[in-house]
Amino acid sequence: MEAAYVFRVALRLDPTAAAVDPDRFETTMEIPASEPGTDGWLFFRDRLWRGEVGDEPAFRRLAEERLGLADAASVEVVDVDFRELRTDEAYLDALKDAIAADLDRFNADSVDEVLRKYLGSSVHVRD
């Protein structure tokens, strides 16, 4: 099983000892998805809403930590967009099973409703 949350991340450089042009660039960041039912598997519930980042300032800080930039005074994450949950069929099936086993946690009537509520239509299944 393999899955990752994929984000577009915009960074701004503001060095004190040099000039840069452009001072802003974008990159793709993938965060591995935890196995459903294990610690961290609710990342989508805690961080996303309808296919968008739920709390962007908090997520920018998370992105800086994941990218090793938390202490970099001259580099800042200025924008983050959720792109997709990139997954294989086995992971998606396991995710659906874990959601179904505790549907009340998500305040929803179906697994599909949960997936739409948090991931929007941004689930990309790959072989």
Side-chain angles (χ1 to χ4, degrees):
M1 285 191 315
E2 283 191 32
Y5 296 97
V6 181
F7 299 87
R8 183 200 52 82
V9 178
L11 303 160
R12 182 174 35 237
L13 302 174
D14 188 19
T16 57
V20 293
D21 185 30
D23 67 346
R24 181 182 166 132
F25 65 95
E26 294 180 1
T27 192
T28 300
M29 176 179 75
E30 293 184 18
I31 298 177
S34 298
E35 185 176 328
T38 65
D39 189 40
W41 82 279
L42 293 172
F43 180 88
F44 70 94
R45 185 202 65 180
D46 299 339
R47 298 293 184 169
L48 303 172
W49 183 249
R50 303 203 188 282
E52 302 287 331
V53 172
D55 179 353
E56 192 170 330
F59 199 90
R60 286 195 310 263
R61 288 188 299 276
L62 174 73
E64 288 173 350
E65 291 170 14
R66 293 289 180 117
L67 295 170
L69 302 173
D71 297 324
S74 62
V75 182
E76 176 186 15
V77 172
V78 293
D79 193 29
V80 179
D81 289 316
F82 175 66
R83 291 297 188 214
E84 65 185 14
L85 170 63
R86 186 176 298 152
T87 183
D88 59 20
E89 252 339 300
Y91 183 90
L92 185 58
D93 289 343
L95 180 63
K96 288 178 177 181
D97 289 346
I99 291 169
D102 197 5
L103 202 53
D104 289 342
R105 169 184 289 200
F106 301 98
N107 194 27
D109 295 325
S110 70
V111 171
D112 287 338
E113 181 183 351
V114 172
L115 294 176
R116 278 191 315 274
K117 186 186 280 191
Y118 295 100
L119 298 168
S121 60
S122 301
V123 177
H124 184 187
V125 178
R126 292 185 167 186
D127 294 328

